[in-house]
């Protein structure tokens, strides 16, 4: 039994160590990413989302590749994916469909012109129609 | 350990019918199932799966929709369990990984005590079942992978601890909420343990099916196969079949739910009957937790009573819907049934008589609910597994997760399927109730009159379920990711 336990611990340790998401990425600090939804109180159905990115000095960041992923907080739902278009002055927007009422977690991933990546998470509650 | 003198076969051959079709006599399947280590064929894969879920629950993505623990447990496990119960029987308890350490625990518990007599009933099971549903809502288990992983660990620890302290399997029989669900639902299943020859059991000196042999355990829940009339309390471990020196135990294929109309199958006990009613009302309340009126009720209660604690609000709703309401509805229906039929009998008997008739409609509502999650999200497991493998540097299932995979069937099929299932369940309850009425009353008219109040309850449950399935789903309480 003890042998099995030791093997188990070793397997878990080796699995964990090769887990890529656990490897620490170089964080991009100081950037501000804001996320707004139109309408401001999101309801089930189509909406427009606006992302604004500012650097450490508060200057707008253009020419980034901005991807949005919305997941419902519970399991078993297909996520909503979108790529935002740049509108200048650090603004990016995209059409976004909320497929169910309830709690969502929106992940915004922005790949900056210099190749670095920023990820920010936004909790959103969507109302039913 | 149960004593030999506690086990006997009553000489009532009219209660016994030899099985016509026996799963254990099937060429390959029967041999695997009866093999000394046959249960491990199911348990080991589920154990490995449980370990994988614990691992991903703690180290994987925090989002429930991307984590194996939450997706497998709350989408697939529940879907597979209810389908298995419908199509075969209590397969999850058969392959339950939580009882694998049972052998070690049994060795440690040689001098273990018997489960206290005062707890040898289903009251505790009712409490744990409702408690589980409450914690599921309160801690948003469906949304928090780490909490789901802790839940799996708690199951292993709980099952092991009770086996160590008590010389039987009280965890399965009196505590486990999953087992309680499976026990009640399996009364509608198309298989049941029985024996091939009643006389062999009557003259059997060792009763190994219950007491076990040196290398084969006997029945953990202490059921004696020739006296089994119901799937209640049967974990389908098949230890009885393995331990029987005469190869006399059968896993009979029967008419689904046959025991529901069998007067000798169910004890007329408050606890068992109340458990069945709780199972039925919980089917509705569990689905109720997913629709907007649930949150409106919460907000209304909070405003009316000035309650800020979510736990207290949920407790109030859960105690009302899952305990008070079935109790009140059951007592009222029993009293009206007495008045309408003119039959003078103890309230307990009236309360228990039509309890089996709850099973079809209750089963149908659970099936429609869990089937919904399964049908809409079954394929989400594929990208989650792809993501898991890629996260470990493995591209066996592709180099990019296909997150667009999800539903098994088109969305507009779901509601018609749910409606058909619930109506079929209601028809099943009507059928069972009618048969019970015919069986227990002197005239068909009296039987129908006695059933009427129960029919109203069944109809209420079915209509409530249909109303909810017609509403848009809404999942809340998870905005802080369980934090």
């Amino acid at each position: 039994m003890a042998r099995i336990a030791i093997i188990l611990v070793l397997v878990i340790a080796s699995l964990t160590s090769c887990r890529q998401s656990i490897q620490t990425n170089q964080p991009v600090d100081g950037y501000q990413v804001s996320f707004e939804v139109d309408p401001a109180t999101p309801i089930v159905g189509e909406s427009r989302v606006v992302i604004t990115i500012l650097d450490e000095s508060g200057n707008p960041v253009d020419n980034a590749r901005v991807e949005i992923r919305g997941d419902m907080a519970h399991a078993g739902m297909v996520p909503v994916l979108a790529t935002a278009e740049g509108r200048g002055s650090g603004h990016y927007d995209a059409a976004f469909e909320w497929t169910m009422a309830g709690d969502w977690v929106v992940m915004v991933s922005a790949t900056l012109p210099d190749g670095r990546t920023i990820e920010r998470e936004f909790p959103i509650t969507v109302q039913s129609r | 350990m149960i004593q030999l003198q506690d086990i006997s076969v009553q000489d009532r051959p009219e209660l016994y019918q030899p099985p016509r079709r026996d799963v254990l006599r099937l060429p390959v399947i029967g041999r695997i199932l009866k093999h000394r280590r046959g249960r491990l064929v199911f348990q080991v894969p589920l154990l490995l799966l449980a370990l994988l879920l614990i691992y991903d629950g703690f180290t994987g993505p925090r989002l429930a929709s991307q984590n194996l623990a939450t997706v497998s447990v709350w989408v697939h496990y529940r879907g597979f369990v209810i389908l298995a119960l419908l199509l075969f029987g209590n397969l999850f308890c058969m392959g339950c990984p939580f009882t694998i350490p049972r052998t070690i625990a049994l060795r440690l518990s040689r001098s273990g005590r018997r489960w206290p007599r005062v707890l040898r009933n289903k009251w505790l099971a009712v409490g744990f079942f409702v408690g589980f549903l409450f914690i599921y809502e309160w801690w948003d288990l469906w949304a928090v992978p780490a909490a789901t992983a802790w839940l799996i660990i708690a199951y292993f620890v709980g099952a092991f601890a009770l086996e160590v302290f008590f010389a039987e399997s009280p965890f399965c029989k009196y505590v486990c909420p999953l087992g309680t669900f499976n026990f009640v639902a399996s009364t509608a299943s198309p298989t049941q343990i029985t024996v091939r020859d009643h006389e062999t059991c009557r003259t059997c000196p060792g009763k190994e099916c219950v007491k076990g042999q040196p290398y084969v355990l006997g029945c953990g829940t202490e059921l004696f196969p020739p006296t089994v009339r119901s799937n209640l309390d049967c974990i389908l471990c098949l230890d009885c079949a393995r331990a029987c020196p005469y190869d006399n135990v059968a896993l009979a294929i029967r008419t689904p739910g046959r025991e529901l109309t069998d007067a000798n199958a169910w004890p007329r006990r408050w606890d068992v009957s109340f458990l069945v009613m709780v199972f039925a009302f919980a089917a509705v309340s569990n689905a109720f937790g997913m629709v907007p009126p649930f949150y409106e009720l919460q907000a209304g209660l909070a405003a009316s009573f000035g309650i800020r604690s979510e736990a207290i609000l949920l407790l109030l709703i859960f105690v009302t819907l899952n305990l008070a309401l079935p109790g009140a509805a059951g007592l009222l229906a029993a009293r009206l049934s007495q008045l309408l039929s003119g039959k003078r009998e103890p309230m307990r008997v009236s309360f228990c008589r039509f309890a089996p008739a709850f099973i079809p409609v209750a089963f149908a509502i659970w099936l429609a609910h869990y089937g919904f999650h399964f049908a809409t999200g079954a394929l989400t497991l594929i990208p989650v597994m792809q993501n898991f493998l890629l996260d470990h540097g493995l591209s066996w299932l592709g180099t990019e997760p296909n997150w667009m995979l999800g539903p098994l069937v088109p969305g507009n099929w779901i509601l018609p399927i749910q409606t058909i299932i619930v109506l079929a369940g209601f028809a099943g309850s009507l059928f069972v109730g009618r048969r019970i009425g015919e069986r227990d009353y002197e005239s068909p008219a009296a039987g129908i009159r006695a059933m009427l109040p129960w029919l109203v309850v069944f109809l209420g449950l079915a209509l409530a379920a249909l109303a909810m399935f017609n509403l848009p789903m809404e999942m809340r309480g998870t905005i802080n990711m369980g934090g």
Side-chain angles (χ1 to χ4, degrees), chain A residues 43-122:
Chain A
I43 55 172
V44 174
E46 289 284 347
S47 72
R48 193 124 207 109
V49 296
V50 179
I51 293 113
T52 306
I53 306 175
L54 303 175
D55 68 12
E56 301 100 319
S57 314
N59 300 316
V61 177
D62 291 321
N63 300 318
R65 179 176 168 78
V66 178
E67 293 183 338
I68 310 161
R69 177 189 170 116
D71 281 280
M72 285 219 69
H74 69 282
M77 291 291 294
V78 175
V80 177
L81 307 176
T83 302
E85 296 280 328
R87 300 296 179 206
S89 306
H91 298 306
Y92 300 81
D93 71 359
F96 202 82
E97 184 182 5
W98 307 102
T99 51
M100 189 191 289
D103 291 341
W104 289 72
V105 177
V106 175
M107 173 71 83
V108 174
S109 305
T111 305
L112 303 177
D114 62 8
R116 291 183 299 163
T117 303
I118 309 170
E119 286 193 340
R120 296 285 188 275
E121 215 174 80
F122 300 91

Side-chain angles (χ1 to χ4, degrees), chain B residues 17-94:
Chain B
Q17 288 181 329
R20 277 182 291 180
R21 286 164 295 177
D22 178 4
V23 177
L24 300 182
R25 295 290 177 279
L26 293 175
V28 180
I29 297 170
R31 183 171 283 192
I32 293 171
L33 290 174
K34 278 194 299 185
H35 189 272
R36 204 182 118 201
R37 300 195 185 280
R39 197 180 179 199
L40 287 176
V41 171
F42 301 93
Q43 285 182 305
V44 169
L46 284 178
L47 174 68
L48 295 175
L49 180 63
L51 295 175
L52 178 68
L53 301 189
I54 292 170
Y55 166 71
D56 204 40
F58 286 131
T59 66
R62 278 190 318 120
L63 275 178
S65 55
Q66 296 175 25
N67 194 292
L68 283 173
T70 32
V71 172
S72 303
V73 170
W74 305 118
V75 177
H76 295 83
Y77 162 76
R78 299 193 304 184
F80 281 131
V81 159
I82 198 82
L83 285 173
L85 286 161
L86 176 74
L87 300 175
F88 186 80
N90 194 353
L91 281 181
F92 179 76
C93 286
M94 177 193 269

Side-chain angles (χ1 to χ4, degrees), chain B residues 335 337-339 341-347 349-350 353 441:
Chain B
R335 183 71 190 120
S337 184
Q338 285 179 335
L339 292 173
S341 67
K343 193 165 186 164
R344 295 171 67 110
E345 61 184 5
M347 178 53 102
V349 176
S350 300
R353 174 172 287 115
Y441 291 86

Side-chain angles (χ1 to χ4, degrees), chain B residues 200-451:
Chain B
T200 302
C201 299
R202 208 171 69 81
T203 56
C204 172
K207 308 290 190 280
E208 286 87 352
C209 57
V210 180
K211 291 186 64 64
Q213 292 195 34
Y215 297 102
V216 188
L217 296 167
C219 178
T221 54
E222 299 186 340
L223 299 176
F224 186 37
T227 63
V228 169
R229 297 281 173 272
S230 165
N231 282 336
L232 275 174
D233 292 349
C234 177
I235 59 171
L236 214 57
C237 62
L238 300 178
D239 282 340
C240 54
R242 290 179 201 108
C244 176
Y246 309 103
D247 193 18
N248 194 39
V249 175
L251 179 57
I253 297 174
R254 63 176 195 176
T255 308
R258 191 187 68 186
E259 68 185 74
L260 303 178
T261 55
D262 180 352
N264 299 298
W266 284 40
R268 287 190 170 165
R269 282 174 19 198
W270 287 105
D271 59 330
V272 173
S273 301
F274 184 59
L275 171 62
V276 171
M277 293 176 202
V278 168
F279 175 78
F281 278 76
V284 177
S285 77
N286 195 237
F288 182 54
M290 303 192 312
V291 290
F294 177 78
Y295 303 104
E296 288 161 17
L297 176 65
Q298 262 189 312
L301 286 172
S304 302
F305 298 105
I307 303 170
R308 287 171 168 236
S309 159
E310 188 199 0
I312 293 172
L313 283 171
L314 284 175
L315 199 62
L316 203 61
I317 294 171
F318 270 69
V319 167
T320 305
L321 296 183
N322 295 322
L323 296 173
L325 204 55
L331 287 171
L332 184 64
R335 183 71 190 120
L336 289 172
S337 184
Q338 285 179 335
L339 292 173
L340 290 171
S341 67
K343 193 165 186 164
R344 295 171 67 110
E345 61 184 5
M347 178 53 102
R348 176 183 56 79
V349 176
S350 300
F351 185 81
C352 299
R353 174 172 287 115
F354 287 95
F358 275 91
I359 297 290
V361 70
F363 191 109
I365 297 168
W366 282 111
L367 176 64
H369 177 187
Y370 287 175
F372 164 82
H373 290 298
F374 189 69
T376 55
L379 300 183
T380 56
L381 187 63
I382 296 171
V384 172
M385 194 68 206
Q386 287 173 321
N387 192 45
F388 175 85
L389 291 174
L390 288 169
D391 201 14
H392 291 84
L394 304 167
S395 54
W396 299 339
L397 296 180
T399 52
E400 192 72 34
N402 181 0
W403 292 110
M404 290 299 101
L405 290 174
L408 273 181
V409 297
N412 56 358
W413 289 18
I414 304 280
L415 185 59
I417 294 172
Q418 286 180 309
T419 306
I420 291 167
I421 291 171
V422 172
L423 292 178
F426 175 70
S429 287
L430 187 62
F431 172 78
V432 173
R434 181 95 172 83
R435 292 289 294 269
I436 292 171
E438 285 171 354
R439 185 192 71 201
D440 286 7
Y441 291 86
E442 57 282 355
S443 71
I448 290 173
R449 285 199 304 275
M451 185 186 65

Side-chain angles (χ1 to χ4, degrees), chain B residues 168-203:
Chain B
E168 50 187 308
S169 294
F171 182 79
C172 301
K173 196 168 180 175
Y174 302 112
V175 174
C176 177
L178 303 180
T180 299
F181 179 93
N182 294 342
F183 286 158
V184 179
S186 68
T187 59
S189 296
T191 55
Q192 184 200 305
I193 286 292
T194 185
V195 294
R196 287 152 64 81
D197 177 40
H198 194 254
E199 189 59 19
T200 302
C201 299
R202 208 171 69 81
T203 56

